Amino acid sequence: MEKNASIEWTTPYRIIYNTKKIVANTSVGKYYVKVTSGKNVYFDSTFIKMYPKPKRLLRDTTVCKSKTVVLDAKNQGARYFWNTGDVTEKIKVEASGKYWVRINNGGCGVIDSVNVKIISTQNQLNSEHTFCLSESNKLISIKPGSSTKILWSNGSTGNAINVLKEGVYWVQTESKQCGKQTDSARVKFKACDCEMLIPNSFTPNEDNKNDYFFPLLQCEYTYFNLVISDRYGNTVFVTSNPNAKWDGRYKGNLCPEDNYVYTIESIEKGSEKKAVRNGYISLFR
């Protein structure tokens, strides 16, 4: 084109003179150009259509496992390609992870991504728990998500409880993601190998019923020591004989009704490990 050529653009919004380039801005429609060079006149035209750039609208989300997770790219009329292989605007997901989608709208493209966390129901109690009678900590527990309210059948609000007797225990959890849920478990106790069964009360009133305190032993011991003390720390009974029994007396005198403390140290035959058991005995007459 000659230097002295004149240029005339006709656009949907105005006429522009003597410039080789123009900015289409946001006007959609037909664009014409007329170039006059001496006696020669040239015409050309093009049609411009504007496509809006897709928006990134996915948001990180945390939901309960029982709920359906639907990811929606929300750019109607666009084309989609998800990292799952799906090509639809919406997809369902069933696993935690990072998901992304390539959104294309007439040549304008963006990539949007989202982190999905699917949490299990918070309770997840085993339906049945069995503990050895000798276990000092008989714990049942749950693993709740953050900001979860907890209430056990015994009134506790912690993640775990120490069960003291057999029976059915329930736990109720409440969270924003999973709402309110309740689960329960049955607790059983059993005598395990070398279990030492220790009563928590006796009645030494000479009626030949529960007149003596003694542990029930199921194993042989190379070492055994039983000490019983009153609430003030005074020793009222001591023996190294596994078969000995306390009759509720101290030096031949009747001990008063009260709670007493026992300590039993023992080493099983064939073992070198010393076991120590502590607890309380209630004496009734």
Side-chain angles (χ1 to χ4, degrees), residues 30-186:
K30 196 83 170 182
Y31 286 72
Y32 300 88
V33 62
K34 175 183 176 183
V35 180
T36 303
S37 179
K39 295 182 179 181
N40 299 317
V41 180
Y42 305 93
F43 294 93
D44 204 353
S45 64
T46 186
F47 185 84
I48 294 179
K49 183 178 181 180
M50 300 290 182
Y51 292 93
K53 184 178 181 179
K55 297 179 180 179
R56 296 183 176 90
L57 300 172
L58 293 176
R59 297 291 182 268
D60 291 349
T61 184
T62 300
V63 298
C64 190
K65 190 175 183 179
S66 60
K67 297 181 180 179
T68 301
V69 182
V70 177
L71 302 180
D72 188 352
K74 294 183 180 178
N75 283 265
Q76 293 185 359
R79 299 178 65 183
Y80 311 92
F81 180 79
W82 295 83
N83 61 327
T84 59
D86 294 285
V87 293
T88 54
E89 180 182 339
K90 301 178 182 180
I91 64 170
K92 292 182 180 180
V93 298
E94 299 178 350
S96 298
K98 185 172 184 177
Y99 296 85
W100 58 260
V101 58
R102 183 182 293 114
I103 309 170
N104 190 291
N105 186 22
C108 299
V110 297
I111 294 178
D112 200 359
S113 63
V114 61
N115 291 304
V116 174
K117 184 177 181 181
I118 300 176
I119 59 176
S120 301
T121 54
Q122 295 117 336
N123 299 357
Q124 293 183 313
L125 278 177
N126 293 330
S127 59
E128 186 170 296
H129 295 258
T130 302
F131 298 97
C132 293
L133 286 166
S134 61
E135 291 183 65
S136 57
N137 292 318
K138 303 177 181 70
L139 298 176
I140 57 176
S141 63
I142 59 172
K143 294 182 178 180
S146 59
S147 302
T148 299
K149 296 180 180 178
I150 304 170
L151 177 64
W152 293 86
S153 51
N154 65 355
S156 174
T157 57
N159 292 357
I161 59 172
N162 187 17
V163 294
L164 302 177
K165 60 182 180 180
E166 293 184 317
V168 176
Y169 294 80
W170 57 258
V171 61
Q172 183 183 87
T173 56
E174 184 176 3
S175 70
K176 181 179 179 180
Q177 293 83 11
C178 294
K180 187 177 291 187
Q181 298 177 329
T182 302
D183 199 4
S184 63
R186 179 172 294 278

Side-chain angles (χ1 to χ4, degrees), residues 188-203:
K188 296 181 179 180
F189 296 164
K190 71 174 184 177
C192 300
D193 293 340
C194 288
E195 190 74 61
M196 188 179 292
L197 305 181
I198 305 172
N200 57 16
S201 66
F202 75 122
T203 57

